[in-house]
Amino acid sequence: MHQFIFDQPNYRVIFGVGSLDALPDEVRRLGRRALVVSTPAELPFAEDAARRLGDAAAGMFTGAVMHHPIEVVRAARERAREVDADCYVTIGGGTTTGTGKAIALETGMPVIAVPTTYAGSEMTPIYGMTEGGVKKTGRDRKVLPKTVIYDPTLTVSLPPQVSGPSGMNAMAHCVEGLYAFDGNPIVTLMATEGIRALARSLPVVVREPANLEARSDALYGAWLAGIVLGSASIGIHHKLCHTLGGTFNLPHAEVHTVVLPHATAYNRDFAPEAMRLAADALGARDAAQGIFDLIVTIGAPTSLQQIGMPADGLDRAAQLATQNQYPNPRPIEYGPIRALLENAYHGRRP
Ligand code: NAD
């Protein structure tokens, strides 16, 4: 029997090859002059965006960094004031998108996001900001970009070793949406479609990075994954990734990649319908094994050992992952979680 709450924010999304051409019009809808924000490595994207904006570009701020220290957010705000900007354009990966969300939280000014990876942050009200060495996270619809422009052309430069894990990060959002206690039928539709799009596109994306059809399909899956993450709660998979990433400083997308098959196997017998839907979308008999096989196919990491996890950290990780639990179909208990981490550490097929 269906029972759910459906409460979806408004999104304005412009999707397609060449959609970055819409940027000047989108800025005009929201303001006069935009400050273009990116990380230092994403400078070429910021320059391209500023060039396209012409007079509507107030300037650039290319100091975005991970974890969004409040000092960086304030520096961006100061820069916007100096150059008389009344809106922001963020162009880059999840780090840049997250900086835009922190800016929106602090300033209330409109942000247009142009994502260039598959992280999906632009579709979620989840924000993070670091102040005095302490990272604060929360959910607030105020941080949602006013417009999101998805142009697959911008993702062609993502190398296979970034594309693969980034795509698996997106798939993780979909998988957890399928068994979220607060999911709804639309979330389920988006999650299964997201898994299907990512599963068929990622092998092509890593083999032929310039294949625009596959890039478009992968970005489409990532868009759906972002909405799923923003609409439903997260469970053991994201809890483990937050614990491992935060405590052992492991790379974000790679942790998601390694952990996903094991977190899926952990819930295997406790969320049968979610497993059936995920397996079906993957074209596999078993969801966890289908995910693991896909990771092998795309040449992404399969073990925590490979991505810098210290072997003597597994006990601590299991302890931390069982504290402040996220809702999850299977009870979160130290023994089975420790075993999961051991399997993930060695990259065993689940
Ligand atoms: P990232 O932003 O660090 O980008 C990964 C790398 O790819 C960087 O080196 C970047 O310079 C490079 N890059 C980006 N786009 C490129 C392109 N098109 N071509 C070539 N190189 C490119 O990492 P990410 O995986 O995109 O995002 C991870 C971050 O996003 C984490 O901090 C994570 O916490 C956050 N995130 C937040 C949410 C949320 O809802 N709040 C959701 C997902 C991820």
Side-chain angles (χ1 to χ4, degrees):
M1 271 192 306
H2 292 298
Q3 188 161 21
F4 55 85
I5 295 174
F6 180 73
D7 177 13
Q8 200 74 24
N10 285 325
Y11 297 113
R12 179 174 170 83
V13 170
I14 303 181
F15 192 106
V17 169
S19 58
L20 191 60
D21 292 348
L23 185 62
D25 284 344
E26 291 305 310
V27 166
R28 271 192 289 276
R29 286 183 77 245
L30 296 169
R32 289 175 298 110
R33 281 152 58 82
L35 182 69
V36 181
V37 176
S38 75
T39 63
E42 293 158 351
L43 174 68
F45 283 133
E47 286 176 335
D48 179 33
R51 204 183 49 248
R52 285 163 182 267
L53 287 174
D55 289 346
M60 293 189 298
F61 176 84
T62 56
V65 287
M66 233 170 65
H67 304 311
H68 325 306
I70 184 91
E71 297 77 18
V72 169
V73 175
R74 289 191 181 134
R77 185 173 59 186
E78 201 40 49
R79 179 100 179 100
R81 219 189 324 258
E82 278 164 21
V83 298
D84 186 28
D86 58 0
C87 59
Y88 294 83
V89 170
T90 62
I91 182 160
T95 299
T96 294
T97 307
T99 301
K101 290 161 90 175
I103 290 172
L105 186 73
E106 281 291 291
T107 66
M109 278 181 25
V111 176
I112 297 171
V114 186
T116 62
T117 68
Y118 307 129
S121 173
E122 61 285 346
M123 285 292 131
T124 87
I126 306 164
Y127 66 85
M129 206 168 0
T130 306
E131 190 163 8
V134 179
K135 187 161 180 182
K136 152 180 114 170
T137 56
R139 279 182 181 253
D140 191 333
R141 286 190 180 174
K142 190 178 161 187
V143 306
L144 282 170
K146 298 288 179 235
T147 302
V148 179
I149 298 178
Y150 286 103
D151 189 337
T153 322
L154 304 178
T155 63
V156 162
S157 55
L158 269 179
Q161 66 274 19
V162 181
S163 298
S166 188
M168 294 312 297
N169 182 192
M171 186 171 289
H173 307 332
C174 296
V175 171
E176 291 232 295
L178 287 177
Y179 53 64
F181 78 94
D182 54 358
N184 63 57
I186 302 288
V187 162
T188 300
L189 287 170
M190 288 190 292
T192 47
E193 175 70 354
I195 294 171
R196 202 172 292 120
L198 290 161
R200 72 182 168 226
S201 61
L202 291 178
V204 186
V205 156
V206 297
R207 217 174 40 236
E208 304 167 38
N211 184 321
L212 266 182
E213 212 160 297
R215 287 292 188 182
S216 174
D217 216 14
L219 199 56
Y220 164 65
W223 166 59
L224 294 169
I227 306 180
V228 170
L229 178 65
S231 311
S233 64
I234 45 184
I236 186 59
H237 170 78
H238 281 79
K239 174 70 185 182
L240 283 166
C241 294
H242 294 165
T243 303
L244 293 167
T247 311
F248 303 98
N249 204 22
L250 304 184
H252 177 87
E254 286 77 359
V255 176
H256 275 273
T257 304
V258 172
V259 170
L260 186 60
H262 302 282
T264 307
Y266 187 84
N267 284 325
R268 188 181 267 141
D269 299 331
F270 292 76
E273 179 61 4
M275 296 298 144
R276 189 188 66 73
L277 289 169
D280 189 49
L282 285 156
R285 282 208 4 246
D286 173 81
Q289 292 181 357
I291 292 166
F292 186 87
D293 294 342
L294 177 63
I295 296 168
V296 172
T297 302
I298 63 174
T302 51
S303 79
L304 290 176
Q305 189 175 21
Q306 241 177 309
I307 61 168
M309 176 75 190
D312 62 4
L314 294 177
D315 289 340
R316 173 128 187 272
Q319 270 155 15
L320 291 171
T322 47
Q323 292 166 8
N324 303 320
Q325 299 192 358
Y326 296 179
N328 189 66
R330 178 176 175 183
I332 298 172
E333 291 160 347
Y334 180 84
I337 291 294
R338 180 66 179 77
L340 180 167
L341 286 168
E342 187 75 29
N343 288 334
Y345 181 78
H346 293 289
R348 296 182 184 128
R349 191 165 190 269

